Amino acid sequence: MHTLKRLLFYAFFATILLIGWFYLHVHSSITLPVKPYEFSIRHGSNLKQTAQQLADAGVIHTKWSLILLARYLNLESAIKAGDYLLTENITQIALLNYLTKGDAKQHEIRILEGSTFAQLRKTLNEHPAIQNHTAGLSDPEILRLIGAAESAAEGLFFPDTYFFVRDSSDIEILQRAYRTMQNHLQTSWESRTGSLPLTSPYEALILASIIEKETGLESDRAEIAGVFTNRLRKGMRLQTDPTIIYGMGEQFNGNLRKQDLLADQEYNTYTRAGLPPTPIALPSLASIRAAVNPAETDALYFVAKGNGESQFSTNLADHNKAVNKYQKLHK
């Protein structure tokens, strides 16, 4: 009986010592291998893998202390992937708190207004912190992956700066940009002016993409939208160079010639009436709003002055004079 009591006492005493050691261990400061110390937790890494990674790097003495601490605090599956930066020594409990709060370093990617989907794909593919899951896929295959109902990808992704943690996939970012564009487009469409010559939000998106490519000065945006709206109402052809350039694709060498204006193709708004079949670029929110709320104007023509501004005209004679004037100025 005395032996049993002695064993129980030793076991109890050892437990107290172990608990005390563990408490002091997880609350004592870790000496970092270098300062500052930066490391990454990859997507899909579990607690054991993360603890082993930190132990191998010398950040913690043993992986088991971090594992037991996470299990005790019920944080075993709460560690977030991403890039982390430690600038000073830290306790294990503070380290675990850091890894589970989602305070990882944020990377960013900027999707530019006026860019094409091909340019967007190239930007995503070249970003070192993004996993490329769309390489080799066609545009329609990508649209199916992100849950889009449209058949053409051009113009569907909202240009903005998107933040993400390392190893996020290009599909996730495209989904976010697509949903953001749908939300902005629907909200703008619901606040559209009456009697627009547009039948759907998608047609508004097409027109917005043309406005985006034609606008050199913010103050001209609504007026340019008014010109295109007037031409659509009257059944006039849009006669806008950016659509032809888009339709030419890699054949365009930077010089738009008269023969290009006469060569019929589905994006040639000199030879075909109405809107082109798809957007030609990613429009900004300002261009979307201009497309559904154009300026009230009598103008039917405009020409670039060469300084970002446009000269607007209500008749062809005045437009031709403006064209001659500004073409001579820039020859």
Side-chain angles (χ1 to χ4, degrees):
M1 179 64 72
H2 291 292
T3 302
L4 179 58
K5 286 182 178 181
R6 191 178 297 114
L7 289 174
L8 289 174
F9 173 77
Y10 288 151
F12 175 77
F13 185 69
T15 301
I16 295 298
L17 288 177
L18 183 61
I19 292 173
W21 172 85
F22 183 73
Y23 179 87
L24 291 174
H25 184 68
V26 300
H27 285 85
S28 60
S29 180
I30 298 167
T31 301
L32 298 175
V34 293
K35 292 182 183 178
Y37 181 73
E38 188 170 4
F39 62 99
S40 299
I41 304 299
R42 300 184 66 86
H43 273 285
S45 294
N46 58 32
L47 173 62
K48 286 184 179 180
Q49 291 169 328
T50 300
Q52 186 66 62
Q53 175 185 334
L54 295 174
D56 291 343
V59 177
I60 56 178
H61 297 301
T62 172
K63 68 179 181 180
W64 292 110
S65 57
L66 188 67
I67 292 172
L68 291 173
L69 179 62
R71 288 177 177 174
Y72 174 74
L73 296 176
N74 199 27
L75 295 174
E76 187 173 1
S77 58
I79 289 176
K80 306 290 192 305
D83 291 339
Y84 293 89
L85 179 66
L86 300 175
T87 58
E88 58 186 18
N89 293 343
I90 189 173
T91 65
Q92 283 204 47
I93 196 163
L95 174 61
L96 183 62
N97 189 50
Y98 182 34
L99 297 177
T100 57
K101 274 196 170 181
D103 292 333
K105 173 184 173 183
Q106 294 283 297
H107 295 268
E108 66 178 64
I109 186 169
R110 186 181 177 197
I111 300 176
L112 297 175
E113 300 93 339
S115 60
T116 64
F117 185 60
Q119 291 169 328
L120 169 55
R121 289 190 66 174
K122 184 173 185 292
T123 300
L124 289 168
N125 292 346
E126 293 176 349
H127 199 296
I130 296 175
Q131 288 191 14
N132 186 346
H133 293 162
T134 62
L137 298 182
S138 66
D139 289 0
E141 287 173 327
I142 293 174
L143 291 179
R144 284 196 295 272
L145 277 177
I146 67 171
E150 293 82 0
S151 57
E154 199 65 78
L156 297 180
F157 305 91
F158 189 71
D160 203 349
T161 299
Y162 294 88
F163 296 91
F164 58 93
V165 297
R166 176 178 292 277
D167 292 333
S168 293
S169 76
D170 50 0
I171 295 172
E172 293 171 355
I173 295 170
L174 287 172
Q175 283 176 326
R176 288 169 59 191
Y178 173 76
R179 288 194 296 265
T180 303
M181 178 62 86
Q182 291 299 305
N183 290 336
H184 282 308
L185 187 58
Q186 189 59 43
T187 300
S188 299
W189 180 253
E190 290 171 357
S191 64
R192 68 190 182 279
T193 191
S195 67
L196 277 180
L198 305 171
T199 62
S200 67
Y202 189 69
E203 287 193 353
L205 186 66
I206 296 174
L207 181 56
S209 72
I210 298 173
I211 295 167
E212 186 68 42
K213 298 299 287 186
E214 285 281 18
T215 301
L217 194 66
E218 179 64 30
S219 58
D220 285 344
R221 197 183 301 270
E223 189 85 1
I224 289 173
V227 169
F228 287 133
T229 299
N230 288 342
R231 294 180 76 89
L232 287 171
R233 281 176 178 150
K234 292 178 177 291
M236 298 173 65
R237 292 174 184 174
L238 295 183
Q239 295 183 323
T240 172
D241 295 353
T243 60
I244 297 177
I245 293 170
Y246 179 83
M248 291 176 66
E250 294 181 357
Q251 295 178 358
F252 180 65
N253 61 6
N255 180 33
L256 193 63
R257 301 160 298 176
K258 185 176 181 179
Q259 66 191 62
D260 298 324
L261 304 182
L262 298 175
D264 183 51
Q265 44 107 337
E266 59 181 347
Y267 287 90
N268 189 334
T269 51
Y270 282 81
T271 61
R272 300 195 182 193
L275 295 166
T278 72
I280 60 171
L282 303 177
S284 63
L285 182 57
S287 289
I288 295 171
R289 288 173 173 170
V292 296
N293 288 285
E296 293 185 10
T297 176
D298 293 329
L300 291 170
Y301 306 90
F302 67 90
V303 62
K305 292 182 179 182
N307 63 352
E309 298 180 60
S310 296
Q311 176 67 46
F312 297 89
S313 304
T314 60
N315 59 76
L316 184 58
D318 288 345
H319 174 63
N320 287 336
K321 290 178 184 178
V323 170
N324 290 332
K325 174 183 177 180
Y326 293 112
Q327 281 182 344
K328 287 179 182 178
L329 283 175
H330 295 94
K331 279 186 177 179

